[in-house]
Amino acid sequence: MGGSLGVVVCWVVLVALSVGTVLTGASGLWGVVLGLAVVKGWVIVDGFMELRHGPWGWRLAMVGWGVVIVGGILVAVVMSTWAG
Amino acid sequence: MWFFILAELSVFAILILAFTVTQVLKPEVFADGRAQLDTSTGLAMTLSLLTTGLLAALAVQRVRLGRSREGGALLVGALLVALVYVGIKLGEYAHLAAAGLGLEHSTFFTLYWILTGFHFLHVLLGMVILGWVAVGCWRRAYPGTGLSGVESGVLYWHMVDLVWVVLFPLVYVIG
C-alpha cells in the first residue's frame, strides 16, 4: 500500500506542477515554466517509471532526456528574446 | 523495452528540437499560431494523461500483489480517462481545421500538426497496449513472477506522459 501512496503523491505533485505551469506561463516566466517541465519529467521517471531505485544508467538517460530537451528550448527562448 | 523507449524519445527529441529551432527563426509566426491555441485545453489534456498514468501505475502494484482483476479494473479506468484526452484532442483538431488552421496554414501549424499528431498516434497505441494488458489481467495471465508484460505495457504509457510534459509548455504555454 506504501507504493500506492507513493504514486498517488507523485500524481498530486504532477497536477500541482501542471497548474503551476499555466500560472507561471501567464506571467511570462518562461524559465520557471521550463524548470517545472524538468521536475515533472523527473517525477514521472522516479515515481511512475519506478527508476528511483532502478539502474542508474537508465535513470540518467530518462531524466537526462528531459534536461537536454528543455535546455535546448531554453536556449531557443533566450535567442528569440534577444532577436526580438 | 528500455531501448525501445530510448529510441522513441530520440525521435521525439528531433521533432521537438525542429519545432524549437524554427521558433527562433520565425518568432512572430509562432506567437500568432500559439495565440490560436487554448492553454486550458492543453491543461485538461495534461491532467487526463497524468491521471491515466496514475491508474496504470496503481494497476501494476495490484497485479504484483496477486490482485490481477483489480489491476484489470484500474486499467479499464485508465482507458476511460485516456478517452477524455482523445475526445479533447479530436475536438481541438476539428476546431483548428474548421478555422482553416490546417497543416499548410503556417510553419507553426505544420510543425504543430506533425508533433502533436505523432504524439496522438502514440497515445492511441498506448491505449491499445493498456487494453491488451487489461484483458490479460482479467484472464489472470500474469502470475506473480511474470509481470514483465504488464510492466512493459504501462512503461510505454509513462513514456507518452514524459514526452507530453515537455510538449505541453512548448506548444501551448511558452510565447
Side-chain angles (χ1 to χ4, degrees):
Chain A
M1 193 54 72
S4 297
L5 180 62
V7 292
V8 170
V9 169
C10 287
W11 176 78
V12 170
V13 170
L14 288 166
V15 169
L17 293 178
S18 298
V19 173
T21 296
V22 174
L23 295 177
T24 52
S27 305
L29 301 170
W30 311 135
V32 177
V33 169
L34 291 173
L36 291 176
V38 171
V39 175
K40 281 188 282 183
W42 201 321
V43 172
I44 288 173
V45 170
D46 274 2
F48 283 2
M49 289 180 160
E50 301 179 330
L51 277 175
R52 185 191 307 271
H53 303 295
W56 67 268
W58 286 118
R59 187 185 185 202
L60 181 67
M62 294 298 131
V63 175
W65 178 84
V67 172
V68 169
I69 296 297
V70 168
I73 296 170
L74 186 61
V75 169
V77 169
V78 171
M79 289 175 69
S80 295
T81 306
W82 283 348
Chain B
M1 187 63 187
W2 287 109
F3 284 106
F4 176 69
I5 285 177
L6 204 55
E8 291 272 41
L9 289 177
S10 300
V11 175
F12 273 108
I14 292 168
L15 291 172
I16 290 170
L17 290 178
F19 189 97
T20 304
V21 170
T22 313
Q23 177 169 298
V24 174
L25 299 174
K26 299 182 176 182
E28 294 86 6
V29 173
F30 273 62
D32 291 344
R34 198 172 277 112
Q36 305 296 323
L37 301 178
D38 184 4
T39 307
S40 60
T41 302
L43 177 62
M45 287 188 281
T46 303
L47 298 182
S48 168
L49 290 177
L50 293 176
T51 304
T52 302
L54 166 69
L55 294 173
L58 289 173
V60 171
Q61 299 196 349
R62 290 295 188 283
V63 176
R64 280 183 189 144
L65 293 171
R67 293 147 71 175
S68 188
R69 293 220 163 154
E70 282 182 32
L74 282 165
L75 287 171
V76 170
L79 283 170
L80 292 175
V81 179
L83 275 176
V84 173
Y85 167 87
V86 172
I88 296 172
K89 195 72 204 169
L90 288 177
E92 183 182 68
Y93 281 160
H95 170 73
L96 293 174
L101 303 170
L103 196 66
E104 298 177 353
H105 177 76
S106 68
T107 311
F108 172 84
F109 279 105
T110 301
L111 290 169
Y112 162 86
W113 283 94
I114 291 173
L115 194 51
T116 64
F118 191 57
H119 181 265
F120 184 64
L121 290 177
H122 281 74
V123 170
L124 295 180
L125 178 58
M127 290 174 69
V128 170
I129 292 171
L130 290 184
W132 182 270
V133 173
V135 171
C137 287
W138 193 254
R139 292 178 176 168
R140 300 182 194 279
Y142 304 108
T145 53
L147 291 171
S148 62
V150 182
E151 291 172 341
S152 297
V154 170
L155 202 55
Y156 182 85
W157 185 270
H158 294 322
M159 184 271 293
V160 171
D161 272 354
L162 181 60
V163 171
W164 181 260
V165 296
V166 175
L167 278 190
F168 169 54
L170 176 66
V171 174
Y172 289 87
V173 179
I174 296 174

